Amino acid sequence: MRKKVAAALITLTLLIATYGLLWAYFSTHINPMPVAVKGVMDLSAWKFEEEGVVRLDGQWELYPDQLFTSQPSPSSAIAGGLTPEMIQVPGSWSKKMGTLGMATYRLQIRIDDASVVYGLKTASILISNRLIVNGQIVGTSGNPAERQQYKALNKPYVSYFTLQPGWNDILVQVANYEFRVSSGIGESLLLGKAEQITGIRDRATAHDWIVLTAFLIMGLYFIGLFSQRRDDLSLVVLGIVCVCIAAFTSVSGERVLFDTVGPIPFWLYFRIQMVLTVGVGVGFFLYVYTAFRPYCYKWLTRGGLAVGGILAVLHVGFASELTTGPFRQLTSFYVTFSLLYATYVFVYTALHRVAGSGYLAVAAMALNVLVLNQNVNVYFGVPIYSLAPVEPFLVLLMLALLMSLRFSNAFRKIEELSGQLLQADKLKDDFLARTSHEFKTPLHGVMNISRSMLDDTAHPPTAEQREKLQLITDITRKLSQLVYDILDLSKLKLGELRIVPASIDVRSVAEVQVRFYSYLCTENHIQLVNHVPAQLPSALADEIRLSQVIGNLLDNAIKHTANGRIVITGRELGGRLEIAVHDTGKGIEPQEIPFIFEPFKSLEGDQHRGFGLGLPIAKQLVELQGGTLSATSTPGVGSTFTFTLPIADEQSEAILSLSNLSPQFIPKEAEYSFATPYHTNQSGKHTVLIVDDQFVNLKVLLDALQALDYRVIAVKNGYEALEQLDQTGRIDLVILDLMMPGMSGYEVCQEIRKRYSLLELPVLMVTAAIQPQDKVAALQAGANDYLSKPFDLEELKARIGSLLAMKESLGRAIHMEVAFLQSQIKPHFLYNVLNSIVASSYKDVERARKMIADLADYLRGSFRFSNAEERIGFAEEFSLIRTYVEIERARFKDRIRFEYDIAEAAYGLRMPPLLMQPLVENAIRHGIGDRIEGGTVTLTAEESDGKWRFVVADDGVGIAPERLKTLLERPDADESQGVGLRNINKRLKYEYGISLELESELGRGTKITICIPA
């Protein structure tokens, strides 16, 4: 209640202060002027240049019901009954005659200076008039005449004329048959020199145009603002109020509307003026209600709106009948009260610290001044332009400050909300990322358990169970991929996804993805084909993210293709690489294509189709790398997703053209190179072959392995790697990059596995790819282990150590296998030798003794501990060979012939034990032993091109071609208790990285060759 009383007192104080200042202003600016007395005004002493224009106020002669154009003579006036009455101008003639009718005003003025052109400005002469000076018509508004010819207009005007020295006669004909409130000359007539009158007219016209333009612009602004903020009705209400004020200004004062559209009938003009007046009052009642509803009086607002509505209807329908003084005063009071009420509400809200209400209070007081100025003009005849048009500018300033305050508050609020939203979004992203991380472990657990149940041979699932388990596996795999996509999407939103471009072979990346997804869609009757040309230029892209893009596109194509083909193609177009993934799926409707790159967008059709996160992530990743991703599709035929990438050969131009790339797109610095194959530390304990197409990566590996006393061979592509494997020499470990141009690491690893098992030659796959499918692809290709770039050197060393330890364990197992197998005496062989000794003891004792000695030497050689050692001298091996040959020759005599040609230096060569003796034994037993006539076994050893070449040949029965192919792959039944070819071949691979060379032809014998590095 206190604030309400305070608001009322403040409003009253503002009103009194404003009206007092205006009264003081008008009082001090009224200059004393001559006054007409009994129709005569003497202006002979008035100095127009110094004292300005003069108001023709005072007593005029009035001739009721008479219109004449010249001064009547006294005799004619008496004869015609023209008796003048004195009337005060300005003022209404209603006290001298009826309000409706016609009359002539007459004033005589005395002028001494007749050398200049004079002007006279009219204001409000109700309702039509004609100005006559010395018998000459100099101005008119409407047509004052009898009722039949009468035409109303009431438009102010300016007239210019010359005066004669002495007395001059001014007549004003006036007629009014419509306006019942007042008639006659309502405002002062101004007389002065032409330039002075012109200045007053321009000032009055400018005043109206300024007020009109100011309020019209502001009104249209608020209406336009409402079109953008439909929830704030106060904007459109305030806009309409401003437009009403502008429109009222156009039909008051100088009536500038008539200058624009031409004369308007008085009945229409008057209705427009009064309805606009009421509209301003209604607008203020409605504005305070819509803008400050909690601070309004509902009953007062409703009453004000009801009264305004009634007044508007009465003015429109009964303007002619209700044009009386009290009704006009009621309208003025209504508008003034609405402004005072609005001012009170604004002051009241300002006391409650409502933003902007103070500005509105000042604006309301300025509008009060405007209304007061209009009322003073209507009721007291004071020209509207007497007061400078300060109030419209003040209103505009206050409304502008109000809007700026609202915008500032809204902007501040938006900033606060944005900060809160960003914080909430960050919390959401953190929650999503952490939850996704937590999902990974149980999802992989479910997937692994399902796979183990599918592969359980002890308790195989039924067909129905297998189908359900396969479904569980597929669902968990998709959920796992979704988790990775969510994590990537979170990184993209936070700008944490780092893009490191390098020269990347697109075909290799595509090949890895095709291999992986071909494995996944084997049961879907979908053929995946990689048609990216091998000679396609390298792309300037991030290896990890390029692999992810192609994988996502393939996954999407498989998802929407029931059967058919999915083909990856590539070409160079316009200085860029264009990679496309074509499928023969159901296709996409044209209107749906713009939405497929939106996360989790579902499309309506025969069934809900969702594209998940794969396509949106692929699009953002491509754009981060300076490319574009687009899609074309034909329903029922298939879809094509095409993306572009810059070419690595034009790296400098590409980077310059990618000025709009993400800050995460950081090009690599220029790299150095060196000749490959590159060898280091030839005396190292282990030999490691490293394969990578980036010389920086090779350098990192070389530096890391140099401290570990390894012999390292560095090559830059898969072709060089296979060449090194073909050469003689032991390689203990291959460190292989997965993504390489020409021949991918996937293909190189497959070639290695054709020659070596997982234990014979371990492969450590190293790549920047981090997607699960890349890991699966590497392990499917035959890799023993997997390490992601960038890697920790300690982790790299640990993995290398574990793989080499595994191979050493294999070597020890092979040597122990040799010792174990050799130590097992074949019963049949021992039985035969003993029988031969017994038989010879009867006939040839010396021969029997020699056979016993040879058997003893053979047994001692078979049981000796050195067979478990890594190296023995070839002389020791050859001694065992000769002992075995002597035993066999003692048994078979001349059926067995053994020849040898061994270079002298070969006897000092150290080599793994039991390499040659088993070969000679096999040649005798299986080559010539099965022939009645026997045969010859030869052993040769020679050095050539840095290699020792040992050849064991026989001219025996030979080996069938189909058995020859599998001889080194599986143990022979006859060799199950001896050192066979398979064991020798394994040891050669382990020690030297070479294999036995077998040549055989049925009926013509067999030749086995071993090449040992010198």
Side-chain angles (χ1 to χ4, degrees):
M1 180 60 70
R2 282 175 147 189
K3 290 184 178 180
K4 292 181 179 179
V5 174
L9 292 176
I10 293 173
T11 303
L12 183 60
T13 303
L14 290 174
L15 182 65
I16 294 173
T18 303
Y19 282 18
L21 290 174
L22 287 176
W23 180 259
Y25 174 82
F26 286 129
S27 299
T28 57
H29 283 74
I30 298 177
N31 298 326
M33 293 184 180
V35 178
V37 178
K38 294 183 179 181
V40 176
M41 178 179 285
D42 188 358
L43 298 177
S44 58
W46 185 259
K47 297 178 182 180
F48 287 96
E49 292 84 355
E50 299 175 3
E51 299 174 304
V53 300
V54 63
R55 293 188 295 275
L56 302 180
D57 295 346
Q59 292 179 338
W60 286 51
E61 294 180 358
L62 177 67
Y63 297 88
D65 301 322
Q66 299 292 327
L67 296 177
F68 51 86
T69 59
S70 61
Q71 176 184 357
S73 63
S75 59
S76 61
I78 295 173
L82 297 177
T83 304
E85 296 185 14
M86 293 299 121
I87 187 171
Q88 189 67 31
V89 174
S92 175
W93 70 38
S94 57
K95 295 180 180 180
K96 303 295 182 179
M97 56 180 288
T99 304
L100 302 182
M102 61 182 182
T104 301
Y105 286 82
R106 179 171 177 261
L107 176 67
Q108 296 182 59
I109 61 174
R110 182 178 178 178
I111 296 294
D112 287 343
D113 187 3
S115 61
V116 297
V117 177
Y118 289 89
L120 188 146
K121 183 183 184 312
T122 67
S124 176
I125 303 177
L126 306 172
I127 285 297
S128 63
N129 68 86
R130 184 180 292 113
L131 179 62
I132 302 171
V133 178
N134 294 330
Q136 299 293 324
I137 299 175
V138 295
T140 182
S141 174
N143 184 29
E146 298 288 343
R147 193 174 187 92
Q148 292 78 9
Q149 291 81 29
Y150 161 82
K151 182 179 180 182
L153 183 60
N154 192 26
K155 172 73 169 67
Y157 59 88
V158 171
S159 298
Y160 300 98
F161 46 83
T162 58
L163 297 176
Q164 60 190 11
W167 293 98
N168 296 269
D169 196 51
I170 298 177
L171 299 177
V172 181
Q173 297 178 353
V174 183
N176 173 25
Y177 296 101
E178 300 178 63
F179 193 56
R180 300 176 183 273
V181 178
S182 180
S183 292
I185 301 175
E187 295 184 31
S188 300
L189 302 181
L190 300 179
L191 176 67
K193 292 186 177 182
E195 59 273 13
Q196 293 175 324
I197 297 300
T198 301
I200 292 175
R201 182 201 60 187
D202 293 343
R203 176 184 170 189
T205 305
H207 180 281
D208 289 353
W209 276 114
I210 289 172
V211 175
L212 185 153
T213 305
F215 281 101
L216 181 63
I217 291 175
M218 186 56 66
L220 295 178
Y221 169 76
F222 280 110
I223 293 174
L225 190 60
F226 171 73
S227 65
Q228 301 173 5
R229 299 177 58 185
R230 296 295 183 88
D231 56 334
D232 192 354
L233 288 176
S234 64
L235 294 175
V236 69
V237 173
L238 186 58
I240 293 174
V241 170
C242 292
V243 171
C244 287
I245 295 175
F248 176 81
T249 304
S250 71
V251 293
S252 63
E254 297 300 306
R255 281 78 160 171
V256 293
L257 180 65
F258 295 165
D259 298 330
T260 310
V261 301
I264 297 177
F266 180 78
W267 64 268
L268 178 60
Y269 152 77
F270 181 68
R271 283 171 170 79
I272 292 175
Q273 189 180 55
M274 299 310 294
V275 169
L276 290 174
T277 303
V278 175
V280 172
V282 171
F284 274 103
F285 275 113
L286 192 59
Y287 175 70
V288 295
Y289 180 73
T290 55
F292 304 100
R293 185 173 302 181
Y295 306 96
C296 295
Y297 299 99
K298 288 186 178 180
W299 61 270
L300 186 57
T301 302
R302 292 174 180 174
L305 294 176
V307 172
I310 293 172
L311 289 176
V313 171
L314 292 176
H315 280 302
V316 171
F318 309 97
S320 300
E321 292 77 4
L322 296 176
T323 52
T324 61
F327 189 67
R328 191 182 192 192
Q329 294 166 8
L330 175 62
T331 303
S332 299
F333 174 77
Y334 174 77
V335 176
T336 304
F337 179 79
S338 68
L339 275 170
L340 288 176
Y341 172 63
T343 306
Y344 164 78
V345 173
F346 297 151
V347 172
Y348 185 48
T349 54
L351 294 177
H352 283 83
R353 301 181 182 274
V354 177
S357 55
Y359 297 137
L360 286 173
V362 176
M365 292 310 300
L367 288 173
N368 265 309
V369 173
L370 186 66
V371 172
L372 177 62
N373 197 19
Q374 291 286 344
N375 290 333
V376 170
N377 172 256
V378 170
Y379 296 107
F380 301 100
V382 179
I384 294 176
Y385 55 84
S386 299
L387 185 65
V390 177
E391 63 274 12
F393 290 107
L394 189 58
V395 172
L396 286 178
L397 176 61
M398 293 300 105
L399 293 180
L401 290 175
L402 171 66
M403 296 312 299
S404 64
L405 178 64
R406 286 187 175 181
F407 285 138
S408 176
N409 291 339
F411 184 74
R412 190 180 302 110
K413 186 66 174 178
I414 289 173
E415 281 188 328
E416 294 175 0
L417 292 176
S418 297
Q420 296 174 8
L421 286 175
L422 288 175
Q423 182 65 22
D425 188 62
K426 185 177 183 302
L427 292 175
K428 180 262 295 178
D429 290 337
D430 291 343
F431 170 77
L432 197 59
R434 292 179 181 180
T435 306
S436 299
H437 276 294
E438 295 299 326
F439 278 159
K440 285 195 296 185
T441 301
L443 279 175
H444 282 286
V446 173
M447 186 162 49
N448 293 335
I449 292 173
S450 303
R451 293 300 310 175
S452 65
M453 294 178 68
L454 281 171
D455 300 334
D456 189 355
T457 55
H459 306 283
T462 64
E464 183 179 358
Q465 291 172 339
R466 178 174 292 276
E467 182 181 356
K468 292 180 180 179
L469 287 172
Q470 186 62 52
L471 181 61
I472 293 173
T473 303
D474 293 341
I475 292 174
T476 51
R477 182 182 64 82
K478 292 178 181 178
L479 285 176
S480 178
Q481 183 61 45
L482 179 60
V483 167
Y484 284 106
D485 288 342
I486 291 174
L487 293 174
D488 285 340
L489 192 63
S490 298
K491 290 181 181 179
L492 285 169
K493 289 183 64 178
L494 296 175
E496 297 177 353
L497 198 65
R498 183 180 176 87
I499 300 296
V500 183
S503 179
I504 302 298
D505 181 63
V506 180
R507 183 182 180 276
S508 299
V509 176
E511 182 66 24
V512 172
Q513 299 302 316
V514 166
R515 298 268 183 165
F516 173 75
Y517 282 99
S518 295
Y519 167 76
L520 291 181
C521 62
T522 51
E523 299 179 359
N524 296 348
H525 307 290
I526 300 175
Q527 181 183 8
L528 268 64
V529 183
N530 180 12
H531 278 174
V532 177
Q535 67 274 15
L536 190 70
S538 297
L540 182 64
D542 187 291
E543 178 180 330
I544 301 173
R545 301 308 169 186
L546 176 58
S547 175
Q548 187 175 357
V549 168
I550 296 177
N552 286 356
L553 294 180
L554 286 176
D555 184 69
N556 178 73
I558 294 171
K559 188 189 304 181
H560 298 96
T561 303
N563 53 66
R565 282 165 53 93
I566 298 174
V567 182
I568 303 180
T569 61
R571 62 173 179 169
E572 181 180 356
L573 182 65
R576 298 175 71 81
L577 295 183
E578 184 181 273
I579 314 300
V581 177
H582 312 266
D583 66 65
T584 58
K586 61 182 68 174
I588 310 169
E589 296 294 335
Q591 66 272 16
E592 296 175 347
I593 290 180
F595 305 103
I596 62 177
F597 296 109
E598 297 181 14
F600 295 112
K601 182 68 177 180
S602 294
L603 305 178
E604 299 291 339
D606 298 334
Q607 55 183 357
H608 290 286
R609 296 178 58 195
F611 288 87
L613 293 175
L615 292 180
I617 290 175
K619 182 176 179 63
Q620 293 186 55
L621 289 177
V622 170
E623 291 174 351
L624 279 176
Q625 299 176 80
T628 58
L629 174 60
S630 59
T632 58
S633 182
T634 302
V637 177
S639 304
T640 300
F641 288 84
T642 306
F643 66 92
T644 61
L645 291 173
I647 297 178
D649 295 341
E650 302 173 3
Q651 180 171 350
S652 58
E653 291 83 1
I655 293 174
L656 289 176
S657 65
L658 300 179
S659 58
N660 60 339
L661 287 180
S662 166
Q664 290 79 17
F665 193 99
I666 305 173
K668 286 186 177 180
E669 297 180 357
E671 299 176 345
Y672 69 95
S673 62
F674 48 83
T676 55
Y678 183 83
H679 298 264
T680 62
N681 193 13
Q682 296 290 341
S683 60
K685 180 180 179 182
H686 298 284
T687 301
V688 180
L689 174 65
I690 57 177
V691 189
D692 200 305
D693 61 314
Q694 299 292 330
F695 288 97
V696 169
N697 296 337
L698 290 177
K699 177 62 176 173
V700 170
L701 290 171
L702 285 169
D703 293 342
L705 298 177
Q706 187 174 5
L708 301 178
D709 193 26
Y710 293 155
R711 175 176 178 250
V712 183
I713 305 173
V715 294
K716 65 177 179 295
N717 55 52
Y719 302 107
E720 291 186 358
L722 295 181
E723 289 178 2
Q724 292 300 312
L725 292 173
D726 290 335
Q727 296 180 9
T728 303
R730 169 180 167 180
I731 294 178
D732 299 300
L733 174 67
V734 178
I735 302 178
L736 182 62
D737 184 28
L738 185 61
M739 307 293 183
M740 294 186 297
M743 192 176 194
S744 68
Y746 188 100
E747 296 170 309
V748 174
C749 193
Q750 285 184 320
E751 289 296 323
I752 291 175
R753 287 296 163 250
K754 291 179 181 178
R755 310 178 190 185
Y756 302 95
S757 67
L758 288 167
L759 298 177
E760 291 171 346
L761 183 56
V763 175
L764 174 61
M765 197 73 79
V766 180
T767 181
I770 58 173
Q771 298 300 312
Q773 57 263 33
D774 299 310
K775 299 179 182 180
V776 174
L779 297 176
Q780 285 178 346
N784 295 72
D785 203 352
Y786 183 94
L787 189 61
S788 298
K789 297 179 185 177
F791 47 77
D792 182 76
L793 290 181
E794 294 302 321
E795 181 182 3
L796 174 68
K797 295 175 183 178
R799 291 179 184 268
I800 291 175
S802 63
L803 291 175
L804 291 176
M806 179 191 69
K807 182 170 182 179
E808 288 180 351
S809 298
L810 172 66
R812 287 192 295 269
I814 292 173
H815 286 299
M816 294 306 296
E817 178 186 2
V818 172
F820 174 73
L821 295 176
Q822 186 66 12
S823 65
Q824 299 183 66
I825 304 301
K826 302 176 180 61
H828 183 67
F829 168 76
L830 185 59
Y831 177 74
N832 290 335
V833 172
L834 291 176
N835 282 341
S836 298
I837 293 173
V838 171
S840 298
S841 64
Y842 293 105
K843 300 179 180 179
D844 190 346
V845 176
E846 290 298 327
R847 182 171 178 269
R849 288 177 179 176
K850 187 175 184 307
M851 290 182 66
I852 292 173
D854 290 338
L855 178 60
D857 289 340
Y858 178 75
L859 293 176
R860 185 168 53 252
S862 297
F863 287 117
R864 70 169 170 248
F865 185 74
S866 62
N867 287 345
E869 297 178 358
E870 291 187 3
R871 296 286 193 275
I872 62 172
F874 176 69
E876 192 174 353
E877 177 89 357
F878 186 68
S879 174
L880 183 62
I881 292 173
R882 295 192 62 179
T883 300
Y884 174 76
V885 170
E886 290 299 324
I887 292 174
E888 294 292 357
R889 290 180 64 181
R891 292 175 55 205
F892 298 102
K893 297 183 179 180
D894 294 337
R895 288 180 55 206
I896 295 177
R897 295 177 293 277
F898 177 70
E899 300 175 358
Y900 57 91
D901 182 9
I902 300 173
E904 188 66 26
Y907 291 106
L909 180 66
R910 295 188 64 80
M911 58 192 304
L914 298 179
L915 281 183
M916 301 302 170
Q917 189 273 335
L919 297 180
V920 173
E921 182 177 345
N922 285 338
I924 293 175
R925 290 180 55 201
H926 303 292
I928 62 177
D930 294 337
R931 296 177 61 183
I932 298 176
E933 66 276 16
T936 302
V937 175
T938 60
L939 170 62
T940 61
E942 61 180 355
E943 184 181 6
S944 176
D945 298 330
K947 301 177 183 177
W948 279 102
R949 185 181 180 86
F950 292 87
V951 180
V952 177
D954 67 74
D955 54 0
V957 296
I959 306 172
E962 58 275 6
R963 185 169 181 270
L964 186 67
K965 294 179 181 180
T966 60
L967 195 60
L968 300 180
E969 299 177 2
R970 56 182 177 84
D972 191 272
D974 296 336
E975 299 173 352
S976 59
Q977 296 185 8
V979 182
L981 297 179
R982 180 170 168 267
N983 176 270
I984 295 173
N985 192 59
K986 283 197 301 183
R987 286 189 291 140
L988 285 175
K989 284 185 177 181
Y990 175 79
E991 294 291 341
Y992 304 110
I994 61 176
S995 301
L996 289 173
E997 299 177 13
L998 299 178
E999 299 178 25
S1000 183
E1001 186 177 348
L1002 285 174
R1004 303 190 64 176
T1006 302
K1007 182 171 72 171
I1008 301 176
T1009 305
I1010 298 177
C1011 293
I1012 297 177

